[in-house]
Each structure stands twice: as structure tokens, then as C-alpha cells.
């Protein structure tokens, strides 16, 4: 595992990767003890270019290889998050209905979706900040609503 840090307008971000993709992007997290610092890993260089563009207010194409670790359900929800268009939001209930359809179920718990959203290991690139509670209210965003 490799790691690097990125100074952003919202604080220092920790990025982790393996050879096959970005595995983490967190705020307020210490580097992994078993990781190797790398400032010039190709995945980090690509991620930092993307973040530079994103924080300039642009809508960069998300073509960075991602490899988040999680359950099949979490990965399904993270895929739904990734499909939320830039500049828009969806509710946990919306994502629950989409997940139910994909899983061929009659319904799905918005709370289960919320737990999967909260477990997202790649903040910003997998846009959990685009998912809100019913009525458009901010839910329990792990990094705080000011971020």
C-alpha cells in the first residue's frame, strides 16, 4: 500500500493506493503504519490533477482507477453515488429505490444505504457529499456539513 497527502482548500487529504487503483481518500486521517509514502506514484499524480481541477470548480472526468474495499452491497451503493451527476444531489431514499431495482427486490432500506454511503473510503471521487436526507436536508456527513 502506498500513501500520500494532498493539501486542499478543505484541509489535508490522505490518499492511499495499490498498483490496481486508488483505495482511499480521507480527511482527518493519519497515514497507514504499513504504507510506503510515494509522492510520484502515477495513480496519485492523476488523482492530484483531478483534485486540483475539482477544487478550481471544474467538473473533471473521473477516469482514475478506483479499488475501494467493501462488501458487494457497499460497492453497489458506491456505484450509484458515482452516477450522481456533478452539481446535483439525490436522497438516500432515491438510492434505496435504485438499489432495490438492481437487486430485484421490492424495496430497500434507506438506512442501509446510508450506512453504505457512510462507509465510503474514497471521499470526493465517490461523491457521498451528493447524497442527502429526505427533503434535501444534510444527513450525517462524516466530515461535517461545513466541508
Amino acid at each position: 500500500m502506498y500513501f500520500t497527502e494532498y493539501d486542499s482548500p478543505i484541509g489535508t487529504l490522505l490518499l492511499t493506493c495499490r498498483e490496481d487503483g486508488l483505495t482511499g481518500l480521507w480527511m482527518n486521517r493519519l497515514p497507514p503504519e504499513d504504507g510506503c509514502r510515494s509522492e510520484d506514484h502515477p495513480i496519485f499524480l492523476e488523482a492530484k490533477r483531478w483534485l486540483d481541477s475539482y477544487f478550481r470548480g471544474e467538473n473533471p472526468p473521473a477516469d482514475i482507477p478506483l479499488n475501494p474495499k467493501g462488501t458487494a452491497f457497499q460497492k453497489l451503493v458506491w456505484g450509484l453515488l458515482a452516477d450522481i451527476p456533478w452539481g446535483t444531489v439525490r436522497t438516500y431514499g432515491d438510492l434505496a429505490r435504485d438499489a432495490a431495482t438492481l437487486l430485484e427486490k421490492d424495496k430497500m432500506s434507506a438506512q442501509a444505504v446510508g450506512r453504505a454511503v457512510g462507509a465510503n473510503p474514497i471521499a470526493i471521487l465517490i461523491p457521498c457529499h451528493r447524497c442527502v436526507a429526505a427533503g434535501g436536508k444534510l444527513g450525517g456527513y462524516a466530515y461535517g456539513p461545513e466541508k
Side-chain angles (χ1 to χ4, degrees):
M1 161 135 8
Y2 301 97
F3 72 89
T4 191
E5 293 174 320
Y6 175 84
D7 290 324
S8 82
I10 59 172
T12 301
L13 305 177
L14 175 69
L15 290 84
T16 59
C17 79
R18 297 196 182 278
E19 292 304 326
D20 57 352
L22 194 68
T23 58
L25 192 161
W26 297 277
M27 297 172 228
N28 309 322
R29 170 97 40 117
L30 295 173
E33 291 182 13
D34 62 343
C36 179
R37 181 178 290 276
S38 174
E39 300 302 325
D40 60 354
H41 192 289
I43 290 173
F44 292 150
L45 294 176
E46 194 173 339
K48 288 178 178 184
R49 279 191 296 274
W50 189 94
L51 288 165
D52 287 342
S53 178
Y54 178 84
F55 284 118
R56 284 192 303 267
E58 299 169 2
N59 181 17
D63 52 5
I64 298 167
L66 304 180
N67 190 11
K69 302 295 182 226
T71 67
F73 179 71
Q74 288 170 330
K75 289 180 180 185
L76 177 103
V77 171
W78 301 337
L80 294 171
L81 287 172
D83 289 339
I84 300 172
W86 188 77
T88 64
V89 295
R90 307 238 5 250
T91 68
Y92 295 104
D94 293 335
L95 296 186
R97 281 187 291 281
D98 292 347
T101 298
L102 290 170
L103 295 170
E104 299 180 353
K105 295 184 177 277
D106 292 334
K107 60 184 177 175
M108 174 67 54
S109 162
Q111 289 81 10
V113 167
R115 283 190 297 278
V117 170
N120 173 18
I122 304 179
I124 305 171
L125 280 160
I126 298 176
C128 50
H129 57 281
R130 295 182 190 156
C131 191
V132 297
K137 295 182 180 181
L138 291 176
Y141 186 58
Y143 300 114
E146 69 281 357
K147 301 284 188 199

